[in-house]
Amino acid sequence: MKNLSYTEIVTTPNYSYIFNFEKNFLHTKNRIWMQNNLTSSYYYCIIYIIIIFNGKYYMAKRPRFNLRGPLILWSSLLSLFSIIGVFRTLPEMIHILTHHGFYHSVCIPSFIEQDVVCGFWSWMFALSKLLEFGDTIFIVLRKQELIFLHWYHHITVLLYSWFSYSEHTASARWFMVLNYFVHSIMYGYYALKAMRYKIPKFISISITILQIIQMIIASIINIAVYQYLKNQKECNVSHKNIIFSLFIYITYFILFCKFFYESYIKSHKFKEKITNERENYNKFKTN
C-alpha cells in the first residue's frame, strides 16, 4: 500500500449519527486558539502546584472532608466522558489502520483535520486535561497520600496535550485513544470504590498494568515516528514533540512500575511477613 500524502483526502468511518456540535467543529479555529493560549498551560500548572501544596499544608491540622457524594459524581462523569471518547475516536483509528495502514495512523493528522467527530473529541480530550486537575483537590481535602506520580502526571499530560494539539501532532491519535480507554475503566473503578462496592484487588492491579502497557505502546510509537522522520518520510510530528513525548512516557513507565511494585508486591510481602509473625507468636503462646 502506498503512503498517503498529507494533502490527500482520506475516507472516514460511517458514523451512525453525527451531532451538530461535532458537525460544526472547526479544527483551524481551535488550533489558532491553542497556539495563542499555549503559554497559559504553564500558568495553570503553576497555579495548580501552589493550590495543592498550600492546600495540603492547610489541611495538615484540620479534619479530613468525606466528599463521598461529590467524588462519586466526579468519577462517574469522567468515566462517562472517557467512554464516549472511546466510542467517538476508536472507530476512526481502526478505520485508518484497516484502510490506510500504520504509517498513516502515526504520521497523518486526518483524525483532527478530516474527521469532524474525532476532531471534536480530540479537542475535548485536550481541554479535559485541565479539568482533571480536580482529581488532586479530592486527594488534598480527603487527606490522602499525594504521591509524586500523581501531580507530575497531571502537569506533564496537560502540557503535552496542549502542545501536541497546537501542532496537530499525528501520533497523538494513538495516545488519545489509549488514554480515553484506560480512563474509562479507571474512573469507573474510582466511582465504584467511592460507592463502597467491594472490588476484587485484581481489578486495581489490572488497571495499573494497563497504564504500564499504555506507556510501552506510546514509547514504541515515538520510536517508529522517529524512524519515519529519519528516513525522510512525510510525518506531522516535530522532533521537539518526540523528545518531549518519549521523555514523559519513559518517566511514566518507571514511576508506574515503581507504584506497581510498592502497591502490590512490596505491600503483599509486608502483609505476609506480619501474618507469619502473628502465626509464630500464636504458636509460641500455645506451646
Side-chain angles (χ1 to χ4, degrees):
M1 181 181 293
K2 73 183 184 70
N3 293 328
L4 293 172
S5 169
Y6 175 59
T7 56
E8 281 190 65
I9 301 297
V10 300
T11 57
T12 58
N14 293 318
Y15 298 98
S16 57
Y17 188 82
I18 300 178
F19 297 94
N20 286 330
F21 57 81
E22 294 170 334
K23 286 179 185 177
N24 297 328
F25 172 74
L26 296 172
H27 70 86
T28 49
K29 180 182 175 182
N30 291 327
R31 183 178 186 180
I32 292 169
W33 184 93
M34 189 63 83
Q35 289 170 339
N36 292 337
N37 291 274
L38 190 58
T39 53
S40 299
S41 62
Y42 304 123
Y43 300 132
Y44 294 144
C45 290
I46 292 169
I47 293 168
Y48 168 73
I49 288 293
I50 292 171
I51 290 175
I52 62 172
F53 283 102
N54 276 281
K56 191 178 177 184
Y57 176 80
Y58 175 81
M59 290 298 298
K61 295 181 180 179
R62 288 170 174 78
R64 65 186 290 273
F65 290 91
N66 184 276
L67 301 177
R68 194 165 71 88
L71 183 58
I72 292 171
L73 180 63
W74 175 264
S75 299
S76 298
L77 288 175
L78 284 176
S79 178
L80 179 61
F81 169 76
S82 299
I83 290 168
I84 295 171
V86 171
F87 279 102
R88 300 310 268 174
T89 59
L90 181 60
E92 192 276 342
M93 190 168 85
I94 293 173
H95 178 86
I96 290 299
L97 285 169
T98 304
H99 293 84
H100 305 299
F102 176 77
Y103 162 76
H104 183 109
S105 75
V106 298
C107 283
I108 310 298
S110 56
F111 70 104
I112 295 178
E113 299 180 358
Q114 297 181 28
D115 188 310
V116 291
V117 174
C118 196
F120 174 82
W121 288 98
S122 300
W123 174 242
M124 289 295 101
F125 177 81
L127 295 182
S128 71
K129 296 308 154 190
L130 180 59
L131 182 67
E132 287 175 9
F133 278 180
D135 291 352
T136 320
I137 303 300
F138 282 100
I139 289 175
V140 171
L141 294 179
R142 298 173 77 223
K143 296 183 75 170
Q144 295 177 314
E145 184 184 4
L146 179 60
I147 61 175
F148 172 74
L149 170 61
H150 178 90
W151 60 265
Y152 168 75
H153 181 260
H154 275 299
I155 286 173
T156 49
V157 165
L158 174 69
L159 293 175
Y160 180 69
S161 297
W162 283 36
F163 174 54
S164 294
Y165 194 92
S166 71
E167 293 192 336
H168 279 188
T169 300
S171 55
R173 171 191 273 112
W174 280 83
F175 309 149
M176 173 183 65
V177 173
L178 287 170
N179 194 261
Y180 265 139
F181 174 71
V182 173
H183 277 201
S184 66
I185 300 170
M186 183 186 77
Y187 281 113
Y189 168 78
Y190 289 157
L192 291 173
K193 272 195 73 177
M195 293 175 195
R196 295 179 180 171
Y197 280 98
K198 192 172 181 180
I199 305 170
K201 192 168 185 178
F202 80 87
I203 299 295
S204 61
I205 294 173
S206 299
I207 291 171
T208 307
I209 290 172
L210 279 175
Q211 289 170 318
I212 292 171
I213 292 171
Q214 179 187 351
M215 307 318 162
I216 294 171
I217 293 173
S219 297
I220 292 170
I221 295 297
N222 276 298
I223 293 169
V225 168
Y226 173 77
Q227 290 299 321
Y228 285 132
L229 289 171
K230 189 178 177 181
N231 293 328
Q232 297 184 334
K233 286 193 175 184
E234 182 180 13
C235 201
N236 200 66
V237 184
S238 67
H239 282 92
K240 188 186 292 185
N241 192 288
I242 294 174
I243 293 169
F244 188 7
S245 181
L246 199 54
F247 172 78
I248 62 172
Y249 278 115
I250 289 173
T251 55
Y252 291 163
F253 173 76
I254 294 168
L255 290 169
F256 272 105
C257 285
K258 181 175 179 287
F259 175 79
F260 184 90
Y261 173 76
E262 291 178 348
S263 300
Y264 308 121
I265 299 175
K266 188 178 178 181
S267 63
H268 179 70
K269 288 180 180 178
F270 178 75
K271 287 176 183 177
E272 275 190 342
K273 183 180 177 182
I274 295 297
T275 302
N276 291 334
E277 286 177 355
R278 282 177 180 169
E279 287 177 355
N280 291 332
Y281 176 72
N282 290 332
K283 286 178 182 177
F284 175 78
K285 282 182 67 178
T286 55
N287 288 336

